[in-house]
Amino acid sequence: MSFLQGMWFCVIGLLFAGFLLLEGFDFGVGMATRFIARDGDERTLFMRAIGPHWDGNEVWLITAGGAMFAAFPLWYASLFSGYYILLFLVLVALIIRGVSFEFASRAITDKERNVWQWANFIGSLFAPFFLGMMLTSFIQGVPMDDKGNAWVGFFGVFNWLSVVGGIAVVFFCFIHGLHFLSLKLGPGDSRRMLNTTEKLYWIAYPALVVFVILSMFMTDFYSKRPISTWLLTVVVLGATICGHVSAMKKRGGFAFASSGITLMALIAWIFNGIFPRVMIADDPAKSILIQDASGSPYSLKVMTVVLCIFLPIVLIYIIWSYFIQRKRIVSDDVSMTDVRPAVAAK
Amino acid sequence: MTTIYHFFFVPMTIGIGLAVAIMETMYVITKKEVYKTMTKFWGKVFLLAFAVGVVTGIIQEFQFGMNWSNYSRFMGDIFGAPLAIEALVAFFLESTFIGVWMFTWDRFKPVWHMVFIWLTNAGSILSAIWILTANSFMQHPVAFEINQETGHARLRSFKDLISNPQLWVEFPHVLSAAVCTGAFVVMGCSAWSLLRMHIKNKKDVAAVEADGEQTAKVSLFTKSLRVGAVIGLVGACFAILFGDYQGKFIVYDQPMKLAAIEGIYEDTGDPAPWQLVALMNEKDHKTESSVDVPGAGSKLYYGKDSGKVKGMNTVNKELHEKYDAKFGKDMNYYLPTTVLFWVFRLMVGIGFGFALVSILVLWFTRKKKNTMWKSRWKLWIMGILTFAPFLATTSGWMITEMGRYPWIVYGYQTIADAVSPTSTSGKVLFSCIIYFLLFLLMGSVMIFYTRRVLHQGPFYEQDNGDKPSKIAASTERKVALA
C-alpha cells in the first residue's frame, strides 16, 4: 500500500466523520422538532437554527461519496451497488428533508407547514438510521463474488448489530443536535436541552455496551486489531462520559464538542477496524484491500493536489459562515427567510 | 431519467440565480430600491428552484455506484475525479453561500451581500463545468489508457481531461441554455403576473394606472421583463453560436449522432442539402420523403460550400468494421432517428424563437411607449413561453444521451455492460418509480409555491414575529388565492 492510498483512506474517513460531526446535529435538530418542540412555532425556530447551515453540511456526505469514487473506484462500486436499497432509502429521506426547509417557509397555513415539518422530521430520523445501518452492516463480512460484487441479502443488511448500530447513530445525532440547540437558542431553552440530554445519556451507556458485545461476535475488529479497536472504544466511552458531565454542569460548548467527538470516534472505530481492507467478504480471500481498490497513482496525485488547495479554503469559509451567524436566536424571530436581523440574547 | 429531471432544475437554478445576481448588482450600482425589491422577489423563486435542484443532485452523485457499478470500476479512475472535485470545489461553495445570502440581508453592506449571490452562482457554474467534464469524457474519451493487467481505464493526464475539445463546445452551449432558461422563467412569470392584474381589475387599464401600488407593480414587472430580455437575448445568441460549433464538432466525432438528428440514411451529394422536414422509415433504414434546402447542409456542417455527409448506413458499416472484433457482430448502431430528428428541430426552433422574442420584448417595453403590459395577447404568449426552455433543454439532453447509444463511454463500454450486476431489474424499477413519483410531487409543489409567490407579489412581506391569528391567516390565503 502506498502512502497516498493510506492517506486517501484516512481522508474518506475524515470526510465521513466531518459529515456526522456537522450534519449529525442537523439530523438531531430535525428529530428534536417532534421529540422536544412544543408547537409549530418552536419547530420553525429549531429549523431556523440550522437553516443557513444544513445544506453545506450535507455536502460532506456528497464529498465523501465523490472522494470514494475518485480514490477507490472499486470500493465505491461494490459498496454502493451492494447496498442499493439502503442507500436508496437514505436518498429518499434526504430528498424529503432537503425540500422541507424551503417549502415549510413558504407555507401559509399551520396545517401546510406541519406537513413539511413532518417531512423534515422523518427525513432527519431515517437518513442517519439507514446510514448507520449501512456502516455497521458492511463491516460484518458480506457475501462477495470474484468480480467484487457484494450480494448483500436481507439479513446481511438487517441484523442485530446493524439495527443497534443504526439506532446508536440516530441516538448520538439526537444528543448532538440538542447540544447544538443549547448553543443556538436563548438561555431558557438552552437549559432545557441540556436537562434533556443529561437524562438521555443514561441510555447511552447500556447501548454502547450492547454494541461492543455484538461487534465482538459479529465483526473481527476485536480479534484482528485488538489494541487500536479497544483504544477507540475507550475514546467513544470517554467522550460520552465527558458529554454527560458537561450536560450536568450545563456547559453547552463542552457538551457539544464531546458529542461531536463521540460521533467522529465511531467512524474512526469503523475505519480503523476494516483497515487494510475496504470491503470485507465472508470469505477472506475475496475481501478487497486498499491497494486493490484504489485508482492509479497519477489520479491520486491529482486529487491530492486539488484537496490540498481547496480543503483549507473550504474550511475557512465554512468556519466564517458559522462565525458571522454565531448569534443566538430567540423565539420572536421565527422567519425562515431572514428579513430582520437576529436578536442577540445576552 | 434522473439526469433529465435533474437537468430540468439545474439550468433553472443557474439561470435564475444569474438573473437575481444581476438584479442585485443593478441595485448596488444604482442604489434604487426597486431593484432590491426585485432581487428579493425573484430570490424567492430562485430559492425554490435551488431546493429542488440540490436534492436531485444528491441522487446523481450516488447513482454511478448504485446503478452503474461496472462502469464505475472500469472508468472510475477518470470519472471519479471530476465528481469529487465538483463536490469539493462547487457544492461547498454554493451551499454555504446560499445559506449566508439568505440570512444576512441586513447584516452586510449591499456590495458584500451581492458578492455572496455571485459566489453561489459561481458554485453552480463550476459544478456544471465538472459534471460536463465527466459527461464529455463519456462522449469523447480522452486522456486515458487501458491498464492491461486489470482491464480498467487509467487516467493519464488531468490537463487533457479538462481540455477535452468536446467539453469546450458542450459547456458553453449548456451554460447559455441555462442563462436562457433563467431569463425566460423570469420573463414568463412577469407576464403571468401582469396578466393577473388585468383579470383582477376586470381588464380596466385605467384603474391600474390610478392606483399607486399597482403602478409600482407594473413597473417592477416590466423592468423584470426588460432585464430578462437582455439576458435572454445574450443567452440565445450564444446558445445558437455554440450549438453550431458543437454540430461542426460531432460531424467528425460522432457521425452517427449527426446523421440521426439530420435524418440522413444514405450519403449525401456534394454539396450536401439540409432537410427541413423529413419522413423516416426506421425499419428499412431509408428516408421516405423530405423537403430539402439545397447546399445548406455543407454550410451547416463544415462552414463551407462543399463537402458531403456520411449517411447512417455508411456509418453503421464503418462502426461494425471498427468494433466487431471487440463487441461482436450483433451490435445495433442505428439510433431512434425519428425522435432525434424532430427533437433536434424543436430545440433549434426554440433557440431562434428566443432570440426573436427577446428582441421583440425589448422593443415593446421601450421607454417611450411601454405598451407591452397593456396588450394581453403578448402577455399570454410570453407566459406560455415559460415552459419552452424546459422543452429545449430536455431535447438537447436527449440528443446528447440517446445519440451516444449503444455506448456509455463512446467506443469503449456499452450501456449493457455498465450496469450493476447486483441490482436486479425489480430493484431498479421500484426505485425508479419511487423517484419518479417523488419528483412529480416535488415539481408540482415547487410550481404551486412559485405561483403563490407570484400571487403574493413583490410587496408582500411574510409575517414574522407576532403570528397572525388563524382568521387573519385564512383571509390572507383567500386574498392570495383570489
Side-chain angles (χ1 to χ4, degrees):
Chain A
M1 185 188 346
S2 70
F3 166 74
L4 280 183
Q5 288 170 334
M7 187 196 92
W8 272 96
F9 181 77
C10 298
V11 166
I12 289 166
L14 272 174
L15 288 168
F16 270 108
F19 166 72
L20 273 190
L21 169 75
L22 296 166
E23 187 75 344
F25 69 71
D26 293 331
F27 288 144
V29 171
M31 293 173 217
T33 56
R34 284 291 153 190
F35 292 139
I36 306 291
R38 296 192 189 97
D39 56 23
D41 285 356
E42 200 160 51
R43 266 172 230 131
T44 306
L45 178 73
F46 284 9
M47 278 164 83
R48 167 68 181 80
I50 51 173
H53 305 300
W54 71 269
D55 196 4
N57 295 342
E58 201 163 79
V59 176
W60 285 86
L61 178 67
I62 300 171
T63 309
M68 211 186 230
F69 195 178
F72 302 102
L74 300 189
W75 184 13
Y76 169 83
S78 302
L79 185 69
F80 279 48
S81 64
Y83 283 91
Y84 188 94
I85 292 288
L86 209 48
L87 271 169
F88 165 72
L89 292 169
V90 170
L91 288 177
V92 171
L94 288 177
I95 288 170
I96 59 171
R97 174 173 165 274
V99 292
S100 70
F101 286 91
E102 183 58 30
F103 287 171
S105 75
R106 287 273 151 262
I108 299 179
T109 59
D110 282 353
K111 207 167 151 189
E112 204 183 329
R113 187 174 62 164
N114 210 8
V115 169
W116 295 115
Q117 290 182 336
W118 267 109
N120 184 279
F121 168 75
I122 291 168
S124 303
L125 183 69
F126 282 103
F129 177 68
F130 291 134
L131 271 173
M133 263 183 119
M134 187 180 97
L135 288 171
T136 47
S137 151
F138 93 102
I139 59 178
Q140 297 172 36
V142 290
M144 288 173 73
D145 61 20
D146 298 333
K147 291 207 171 82
N149 293 308
W151 300 84
V152 192
F154 177 74
F155 290 103
V157 175
F158 193 86
N159 54 44
W160 283 108
L161 179 60
S162 73
V163 171
V164 172
I167 292 173
V169 172
V170 167
F171 187 77
F172 281 113
C173 282
F174 183 42
I175 289 182
H176 195 45
L178 294 181
H179 286 162
F180 178 77
L181 283 175
S182 78
L183 295 174
K184 210 54 200 172
L185 302 178
D189 287 332
S190 169
R191 181 165 291 271
R192 199 171 107 217
M193 301 301 147
L194 292 171
N195 285 341
T196 312
T197 57
E198 192 186 325
K199 294 191 193 80
L200 281 174
Y201 264 120
W202 290 115
I203 311 173
Y205 301 119
L208 276 177
V209 171
V210 170
F211 182 79
V212 168
I213 290 171
L214 282 172
S215 47
M216 275 175 164
F217 286 105
M218 297 171 81
T219 69
D220 53 14
F221 287 13
Y222 288 93
S223 52
K224 274 228 153 122
R225 300 174 58 80
I227 298 171
S228 53
T229 304
W230 275 116
L231 204 67
L232 283 164
T233 312
V234 171
V235 172
V236 172
L237 191 67
T240 308
I241 293 170
C242 247
H244 197 173
V245 172
S246 316
M248 283 177 185
K249 294 196 164 165
K250 306 290 172 268
R251 304 285 295 270
F254 282 108
F256 178 71
S258 309
S259 48
I261 290 171
T262 303
L263 284 167
M264 287 171 79
L266 275 175
I267 295 285
W269 179 88
I270 288 168
F271 272 69
N272 169 67
I274 61 174
F275 186 88
R277 302 155 296 181
V278 289
M279 287 297 284
I280 302 174
D282 48 4
D283 166 8
K286 288 184 181 153
S287 290
I288 305 179
L289 301 179
I290 289 180
Q291 57 258 46
D292 304 335
S294 96
S296 62
Y298 174 73
S299 59
L300 285 182
K301 209 161 72 193
V302 169
M303 288 300 299
T304 308
V305 171
V306 172
L307 185 82
C308 290
I309 296 172
F310 284 100
L311 194 63
I313 299 176
V314 167
L315 286 174
I316 286 168
Y317 68 66
I318 287 182
I319 291 166
W320 171 83
S321 85
Y322 277 91
F323 178 76
I324 56 162
Q325 313 206 49
R326 66 192 176 282
K327 281 184 178 152
R328 288 172 183 266
I329 49 172
V330 287
S331 24
D332 68 345
D333 172 48
V334 287
S335 97
M336 286 296 294
T337 42
D338 178 50
V339 193
R340 49 166 74 181
V343 185
K346 289 285 178 299
Chain B
M1 193 205 83
T2 328
T3 328
I4 287 189
Y5 195 85
H6 181 51
F7 202 72
F8 237 75
F9 293 98
V10 172
M12 201 163 157
T13 310
I14 295 182
I16 303 177
L18 207 64
V20 171
I22 287 170
M23 287 171 192
E24 185 158 4
T25 312
M26 287 166 96
Y27 165 64
V28 169
I29 293 169
T30 59
K31 302 260 187 310
K32 278 185 187 155
E33 201 60 25
V34 61
Y35 285 119
K36 186 175 176 179
T37 321
M38 231 157 100
T39 309
K40 277 199 174 188
F41 177 68
W42 295 111
K44 287 179 189 170
V45 179
F46 167 59
L47 287 174
L48 277 165
F50 191 89
V52 182
V54 165
V55 292
T56 51
I58 307 174
I59 300 180
Q60 196 93 98
E61 184 91 1
F62 286 179
Q63 271 216 318
F64 296 107
M66 288 164 73
N67 291 334
W68 308 99
S69 65
N70 277 350
Y71 167 78
S72 304
R73 287 193 184 100
F74 180 53
M75 285 293 173
D77 195 43
I78 297 116
F79 202 84
L83 281 192
I85 296 171
E86 176 183 24
L88 188 67
V89 175
F91 289 160
F92 271 126
L93 192 69
E94 65 176 351
S95 59
T96 305
F97 281 99
I98 197 160
V100 174
W101 183 78
M102 261 168 87
F103 290 96
T104 56
W105 269 100
D106 306 329
R107 308 256 314 269
F108 285 93
K109 282 204 177 104
V111 178
W112 282 110
H113 198 257
M114 174 193 88
V115 169
F116 301 150
I117 186 80
W118 277 110
L119 282 169
T120 306
N121 266 296
S124 306
I125 292 168
L126 278 169
S127 88
I129 291 189
W130 289 110
I131 194 75
L132 288 174
T133 304
N135 181 270
S136 299
F137 171 82
M138 292 157 88
Q139 301 287 350
H140 179 80
V142 289
F144 75 103
E145 59 198 354
I146 302 284
N147 180 345
Q148 295 309 334
E149 270 168 69
T150 55
H152 296 156
R154 271 208 321 225
L155 182 61
R156 229 188 20 223
S157 154
F158 186 69
K159 200 175 115 249
D160 290 353
L161 182 69
I162 47 180
S163 55
N164 184 347
Q166 165 75 25
L167 171 65
W168 296 106
V169 291
E170 198 175 328
F171 169 66
H173 182 66
V174 170
L175 184 63
S176 16
V179 171
C180 259
T181 307
F184 271 76
V185 167
V186 169
M187 284 157 84
C189 291
S190 305
W192 286 126
S193 305
L194 289 170
L195 263 178
R196 269 180 56 76
M197 294 174 63
H198 281 287
I199 295 162
K200 262 189 169 160
N201 290 293
K202 304 198 175 54
K203 300 177 186 171
D204 182 358
V205 173
V208 177
E209 283 174 342
D211 176 348
E213 190 180 332
Q214 300 227 45
T215 314
K217 253 193 197 177
V218 169
S219 85
L220 185 128
F221 282 125
T222 311
K223 270 208 170 66
S224 301
L225 270 174
R226 281 187 76 83
V227 172
V230 172
I231 302 170
L233 183 61
V234 173
C237 291
F238 276 108
I240 292 165
L241 183 73
F242 287 112
D244 182 50
Y245 280 150
Q246 217 173 344
K248 289 184 171 55
F249 182 77
I250 63 168
V251 168
Y252 301 102
D253 198 50
Q254 296 181 3
M256 192 52 137
K257 188 186 274 184
L258 183 95
I261 59 178
E262 296 294 8
I264 304 167
Y265 275 110
E266 295 301 336
D267 288 8
T268 61
D270 187 0
W274 181 70
Q275 309 186 65
L276 182 69
V277 288
L279 286 173
M280 261 75 63
N281 178 341
E282 288 193 32
K283 250 217 200 87
D284 307 337
H285 303 306
K286 60 176 196 257
T287 311
E288 297 283 0
S289 57
S290 64
V291 178
D292 291 355
V293 183
S298 305
K299 263 257 179 289
L300 282 172
Y301 312 138
Y302 301 108
K304 56 185 191 204
D305 291 335
S306 64
K308 54 184 200 180
V309 181
K310 287 181 206 157
M312 272 178 280
N313 296 335
T314 318
V315 180
N316 186 38
K317 280 197 198 90
E318 284 178 5
L319 289 172
H320 270 295
E321 274 165 30
K322 202 166 162 186
Y323 294 115
D324 271 4
K326 209 160 126 192
F327 293 99
K329 284 200 185 342
D330 310 339
M331 293 285 286
N332 173 21
Y333 295 112
Y334 282 107
L335 300 170
T337 310
T338 315
V339 175
L340 288 176
F341 181 85
W342 289 109
V343 156
F344 179 68
R345 269 143 193 74
L346 180 73
M347 176 178 82
V348 174
I350 292 176
F352 278 98
F354 276 179
L356 185 70
V357 168
S358 301
I359 293 169
L360 287 176
V361 167
L362 284 175
W363 177 248
F364 288 132
T365 54
R366 64 193 187 280
K367 273 244 158 52
K368 282 203 180 103
K369 222 180 133 177
N370 178 7
T371 52
M372 171 106 182
W373 76 271
K374 289 178 189 166
S375 134
R376 278 199 305 281
W377 64 270
K378 284 178 199 146
L379 293 178
W380 269 113
I381 292 173
M382 195 62 243
I384 287 162
L385 281 178
T386 315
F387 305 102
F390 299 102
L391 273 178
T393 50
T394 309
S395 308
W397 213 227
M398 270 165 82
I399 295 166
T400 303
E401 298 297 283
M402 278 162 80
R404 197 178 54 218
Y405 180 85
W407 281 298
I408 189 156
V409 178
Y410 205 90
Y412 287 94
Q413 191 179 31
T414 60
I415 292 173
D417 292 341
V419 293
S420 305
T422 47
S423 339
T424 53
S425 55
K427 269 191 216 174
V428 175
L429 192 69
F430 167 75
S431 57
C432 274
I433 291 170
I434 301 278
Y435 280 144
F436 182 72
L437 291 176
L438 261 182
F439 288 159
L440 207 64
L441 178 74
M442 298 303 152
S444 349
V445 173
M446 190 194 88
I447 290 169
F448 175 77
Y449 279 142
T450 308
R451 263 191 64 216
R452 176 179 291 170
V453 167
L454 292 175
H455 290 187
Q456 287 168 346
F459 302 111
Y460 178 91
E461 282 286 335
Q462 210 157 4
D463 208 307
N464 51 346
D466 36 30
K467 230 181 72 152
S469 64
K470 284 237 156 77
I471 301 159
S474 67
T475 47
E476 230 166 48
R477 203 170 101 234
K478 280 194 190 108
V479 169
L481 299 176

